[in-house]
Amino acid sequence: LWVYPLKSARGLQLDVAKMDNLGFEKDRNWMVVKPTGEFVTQRSRPQMSLLFPSFQQDESGKEQLCIDMADMPTLRVPHASSSNKTIDVTVWKDTVKAADLGDEASAWLTK
């Protein structure tokens, strides 16, 4: 079984997967978005295949998405609940509300 926490990044192989009302838990719960609100995929940015997601415990013991890439420090993605800012994101023909996870994540992903 595979899940892809960050849309268009590498997947995580699992022995067991939990289900929620949207499918596999943590599958495509995060995505990279352009300032214009369009989501980004490997179709336009093949280097996204070099992003390695994982989950680690944060200081409070909550599971946190971390993203690694060669020659880059680990990006520890803030929890969506810590964001006060939402943005409209276009995913194919749908528009959805998404949490903006901050300037640090944005700066890391644009390097």
Side-chain angles (χ1 to χ4, degrees), residues 6-77:
L6 177 63
K7 184 168 179 47
S8 287
R10 291 204 178 217
L12 296 176
Q13 188 171 17
L14 306 174
D15 293 324
V16 176
K18 292 181 181 179
M19 299 289 287
D20 61 22
N21 62 337
L22 299 174
F24 287 138
E25 187 177 84
K26 299 178 187 150
D27 189 40
R28 295 173 182 91
N29 288 176
W30 292 266
M31 66 181 139
V32 177
V33 178
K34 295 178 186 178
T36 58
E38 298 170 84
F39 79 113
V40 180
T41 70
Q42 283 188 39
R43 288 179 180 93
S44 63
R45 299 284 184 198
Q47 62 269 41
M48 288 187 71
S49 67
L50 304 174
L51 300 175
F52 290 85
S54 65
F55 289 96
Q56 299 174 13
Q57 300 290 323
D58 68 8
E59 311 81 45
S60 69
K62 290 171 109 177
E63 205 168 52
Q64 180 177 34
L65 176 65
C66 296
I67 304 171
D68 288 291
M69 185 173 174
D71 302 321
M72 295 280 291
T74 297
L75 172 62
R76 299 181 69 80
V77 180

Side-chain angles (χ1 to χ4, degrees), residues 33 75-80 82-87 98-110:
V33 178
L75 172 62
R76 299 181 69 80
V77 180
H79 294 281
S82 68
S83 176
N84 294 327
K85 183 178 177 188
T86 60
I87 55 175
D100 182 330
L101 297 179
D103 294 339
E104 182 182 347
S106 178
W108 191 98
L109 288 162
T110 56

